[in-house]
Amino acid sequence: MSINQHLNWRYATKRYNGQIIPESSLNDILESIRLTPTSLGIQPFHVFVIENKELREQLKPALNNQPQSIEASHIVVFASWKSVTESKVDDYMALIAETRGVAVESLTGFRSMVLGYLSKQSPAEIQLWASKQTYIALGTAMVSAASQQIDATPMEGFSAEAVNSILELEKHDLHASVILALGYRDSNIDPLASANKVRKPFHKLIDII
């Protein structure tokens, strides 16, 4: 199947059958998140993969009791940075130097550019910028899942404050941005499993200028 055929196959699954995703497939999806592009390449978020059933029961009310929170194989929480400190930028510079085998001093110009850009942003703008990066990763993960015939549901209908509290994100300077359920659809009880995909026609959505 082509990537577009996989994308036509997927939908926002509402009911899952509880089947567990093979570890190799899950790792492929998580690796796609690690490889996703982000602004400045800095990856201003952390990802929590929730397998623990008791923790998911605890999270369920925070997720507005959506059945995916329990029925899916895994729940993935994308938590964005609340701030970008000079220390975090220096950690990134050190990673670049180590990965590419260059002296960290050679990155002085890039470091100054990154810090200069971030210094012009308000705390609210920084948080919005970081949150946007999680959505790039979310999209990448959904494409990766679809390519393996694994269902995925992006979830925004949750109490970020409650998720932050349960996962103790605040003490790590993180904020729950978006959530992804992963697993396999239950076609017997999900009314959308056999429904036609609804999308605007190409010519009504896209203009080539």
Side-chain angles (χ1 to χ4, degrees):
M1 292 173 66
S2 70
I3 190 64
N4 284 343
Q5 287 174 312
H6 286 301
L7 291 176
N8 192 58
W9 168 85
R10 74 154 304 278
Y11 72 105
T13 306
K14 303 303 180 187
R15 302 301 298 269
Y16 287 82
N17 65 12
Q19 182 181 347
I20 302 301
I21 298 169
E23 184 177 0
S24 60
S25 298
L26 176 63
N27 287 340
D28 279 344
I29 296 169
L30 299 179
E31 178 67 359
S32 78
I33 294 172
R34 190 183 74 86
L35 293 174
T36 202
T38 60
S39 177
L40 303 173
I42 203 168
Q43 298 173 285
F45 56 82
H46 194 82
V47 178
F48 296 87
V49 183
I50 314 298
E51 296 180 331
N52 184 280
K53 294 294 186 182
E54 292 181 1
L55 180 56
R56 286 169 61 175
E57 287 286 357
Q58 190 178 354
L59 284 168
K60 187 179 179 182
L63 274 58
N64 290 324
N65 293 307
Q66 296 177 78
Q68 301 98 315
S69 59
I70 298 300
E71 295 174 353
S73 172
H74 293 78
I75 297 295
V76 181
V77 178
F78 294 82
S80 54
W81 291 359
K82 295 182 66 179
S83 64
V84 185
T85 62
E86 189 169 343
S87 175
K88 289 177 179 177
V89 173
D90 285 339
D91 287 344
Y92 178 42
M93 296 301 133
L95 177 61
I96 295 173
E98 178 185 1
T99 302
R100 295 181 174 171
V102 299
V104 72
E105 291 77 14
S106 69
L107 301 170
T108 300
F110 180 50
R111 178 182 183 274
S112 296
M113 185 274 288
V114 171
L115 290 173
Y117 168 76
L118 295 172
S119 69
K120 296 176 183 177
Q121 313 302 312
S122 69
E125 288 171 330
I126 289 290
Q127 291 185 38
L128 177 60
W129 167 79
S131 180
K132 286 181 177 180
Q133 309 313 305
T134 67
Y135 278 78
I136 302 173
L138 173 75
T140 303
M142 288 194 292
V143 172
S144 177
S147 72
Q148 301 177 69
Q149 300 281 283
I150 292 171
D151 288 294
T153 310
M155 302 171 72
E156 291 185 306
F158 64 92
S159 168
E161 290 73 18
V163 174
N164 290 344
S165 176
I166 293 168
L167 298 181
E168 300 184 324
L169 299 184
E170 296 283 354
K171 70 179 183 180
H172 299 292
D173 199 36
L174 295 169
H175 174 79
S177 177
V178 67
I179 292 174
L180 182 66
L182 294 169
Y184 299 98
R185 67 189 67 177
D186 189 333
S187 299
N188 294 319
I189 58 175
D190 190 339
L192 295 180
S194 58
N196 291 331
K197 183 180 290 293
V198 179
R199 293 293 187 272
K200 293 179 181 179
F202 188 98
H203 70 280
K204 289 190 176 181
L205 181 66
I206 298 169
D207 277 316
I208 300 175
I209 302 174

